[in-house]
Amino acid sequence: MTKKILVTGGAGYIGSHTCLLLLEAGFEVVVVDNLCNSSLESLRRVEKLTNQFIRFYKVDLTDFDSLSKVFDDHTFHSVIHFAGLKAVGESAEIPLHYYEQNIGSTINLLKVMQANNCKRFVFSSSATVYGDPASVPITEDFPISATNPYGRTKLFIEEILRDQSKADKDWQIVLLRYFNPVGAHKSGMIGEDPQGIPNNLMPFISQVAVGKRDKLSVFGDDYDTPDGTGVRDYIHVLDLADAHVKSVQKIDQFRGVTTLNLGTGKGVSVLEMVKAFEKGSRKSVAYQIVDRRPGDIAECWADPAKALEVLGWNAKLGLEAMIEDTWRWQSNNPLGYEPSE
Ligand code: NAD
Ligand code: UDP
């Protein structure tokens, strides 16, 4: 029988790519999203690309009763929980909203799942839970901490999941700690569509390249890194999505909480990214060096060995593909998702 997966936040950037790969792998997909940071057009395009149907519910996960009704309509094999707010700066301005949305939503979801005896759960965590790591590469057993309210929501949710798994041994939970997701589907039809000024490096660079913004501000060139700029582990969103498909395929073999880094294991600096993007897009990317961004760390990259061992997953797409696919999406959709014709 076809397994049905509930994808929360499935209209968003990583969620939409994961829905596509889930459909291609033969799963049935139901999405719950309040569309606070996304457009239904992403899922329409996934349907077009796969020629398959996605059942969509416009529901806010903080609304317990509406979420319960979704579970009345379906029996899910497992839940992939992407939904959440993710802007670090905003989280420091309105922390209560972040705690209510991210943690409140997750508690509702876990309660509804428990009530429906659905106990397989894949969670979008983040490398941000490593805080300022003592060294790189980072393995899953590094100490965790948080430097901002967004990061704390991820850290608290991880702790809540560990508590729940201790209280009820039937839960099978996979915590996926993403490093820096970038890129887009090869078709150029779905990709990242940030609202307003992008916080993240890659969408900012691509908006400069396409002429939507004048220049990139490089946040500091005095870090203790080879060229002085920040180093991160950028991972193609399709590789990331593939790890979610493998997680739901293998989740029955896991007990309790399984924590996995999702990264490539390679660090790339801001200036290396600018140069590589200019080469890949054949556009120039103007930039200026400005002060460090508060809370930023010098370098962060993964040791991804455990994901290979446990999930049989490793990142296959390199920097060139990340840039080529970002650029195809950005140049085909300079305004992001617009309503379909
Ligand atoms: P996104 O904003 O594109 O997707 C999140 C989706 O959740 C959006 O469609 C939004 O409308 C929805 N949503 C938010 N709050 C909701 C609520 N209360 N009820 C229902 N829907 C809600 O973000 P993304 O980049 O696809 O990230 C997905 C997940 O991965 C998030 O949990 C994020 O914190 C995590 N993550 C992202 C990154 C990154 O750099 N993109 C890195 C690490 C972890
Ligand atoms: N960065 C930058 N200018 C920007 C956005 C980001 O110089 O407009 C730098 C940032 O300081 C970090 C790297 O790019 O070194 C990645 O930043 P991003 O916000 O994408 O990811 P995170 O810092 O959360 O890992």
Side-chain angles (χ1 to χ4, degrees):
M1 214 180 71
T2 312
K3 287 177 180 155
K4 206 183 270 192
I5 314 292
L6 175 65
V7 182
T8 77
Y13 171 45
I14 306 169
S16 54
H17 289 80
T18 303
C19 288
L20 190 147
L21 294 200
L22 285 168
L23 290 169
E24 285 180 353
F27 290 98
E28 207 175 310
V29 173
V30 175
V31 167
V32 167
D33 199 304
N34 65 2
L35 302 179
C36 70
N37 195 38
S38 54
S39 149
L40 200 48
E41 178 63 14
S42 63
L43 293 180
R44 294 213 181 96
R45 294 188 186 185
V46 171
E47 289 183 325
K48 256 187 216 159
L49 285 164
T50 56
N51 207 16
Q52 294 190 60
F53 171 73
I54 294 174
R55 180 83 168 88
F56 175 74
Y57 291 85
K58 185 166 189 269
V59 163
D60 190 307
L61 292 177
T62 58
D63 174 357
F64 185 85
D65 293 338
S66 301
L67 183 59
S68 294
K69 286 193 189 116
V70 176
F71 279 75
D72 292 343
D73 291 353
H74 306 274
T75 301
F76 296 113
H77 169 269
S78 47
V79 174
I80 306 181
H81 181 38
F82 290 109
L85 304 177
K86 61 167 185 177
V88 172
E90 186 184 63
S91 80
E93 285 158 25
I94 45 170
L96 299 183
H97 186 60
Y98 267 67
Y99 290 124
E100 181 180 55
Q101 284 294 311
N102 290 4
I103 298 180
S105 286
T106 307
I107 290 175
N108 274 349
L109 179 60
L110 296 173
K111 281 164 81 177
V112 174
M113 288 178 67
Q114 181 88 22
N116 286 275
N117 200 31
C118 172
K119 298 179 180 177
R120 300 184 191 96
F121 192 74
V122 179
F123 175 59
S124 300
S125 190
S126 165
T128 192
V129 299
Y130 295 116
D132 192 352
S135 59
V136 277
I138 300 167
T139 52
E140 289 82 355
D141 54 4
F142 270 38
I144 56 174
S145 66
T147 54
N148 57 69
Y150 165 71
R152 251 181 300 282
T153 68
K154 293 296 177 195
L155 197 141
F156 289 161
I157 292 168
E158 285 202 0
E159 298 286 19
I160 290 167
L161 291 168
R162 280 186 275 271
D163 285 340
Q164 181 58 15
S165 131
K166 275 185 214 146
D168 179 346
K169 303 271 183 257
D170 291 343
W171 279 81
Q172 292 160 303
I173 296 169
V174 184
L175 303 183
L176 298 176
R177 293 179 177 159
Y178 312 157
F179 281 68
N180 290 59
V182 297
H185 188 253
K186 304 269 161 220
S187 62
M189 280 176 66
I190 59 170
E192 185 171 15
D193 182 20
Q195 312 294 307
I197 302 170
N199 296 305
N200 295 114
L201 180 66
M202 189 68 136
F204 205 107
I205 289 182
S206 60
Q207 290 193 2
V208 174
V210 83
K212 201 168 158 186
R213 310 209 173 264
D214 284 349
K215 58 175 177 281
L216 169 75
S217 294
V218 174
F219 298 141
D221 67 349
D222 56 352
Y223 285 104
D224 185 14
T225 59
D227 66 16
T229 64
V231 171
R232 297 291 184 274
D233 185 340
Y234 297 93
I235 173 163
H236 198 294
V237 66
L238 284 177
D239 275 328
L240 207 61
D242 177 43
H244 293 75
V245 175
K246 291 197 162 66
S247 294
V248 293
Q249 283 169 335
K250 298 226 163 141
I251 201 163
D252 277 323
Q253 300 167 21
F254 304 154
R255 288 284 161 269
V257 177
T258 306
T259 305
L260 301 173
N261 282 342
L262 296 181
T264 63
K266 289 183 200 85
V268 174
S269 77
V270 176
L271 291 182
E272 279 170 344
M273 185 60 101
V274 168
K275 300 254 150 53
F277 203 98
E278 287 183 322
K279 192 168 167 229
S281 65
R282 294 194 197 88
K283 297 274 171 190
S284 68
V285 175
Y287 68 86
Q288 62 173 352
I289 309 289
V290 301
D291 286 347
R292 291 182 180 192
R293 183 170 62 179
D296 269 2
I297 57 176
E299 42 185 4
C300 176
W301 73 86
D303 178 339
K306 188 176 170 197
L308 181 60
E309 184 195 318
V310 171
L311 219 50
W313 171 92
N314 63 339
K316 303 215 161 51
L317 300 165
L319 195 58
E320 250 179 53
M322 298 180 208
I323 289 169
E324 196 180 291
D325 296 338
T326 300
W327 182 239
R328 189 181 303 108
W329 154 253
Q330 180 69 63
S331 41
N332 288 355
N333 307 268
L335 303 175
Y337 289 114
E338 291 177 290
S340 51
E341 52 305 331

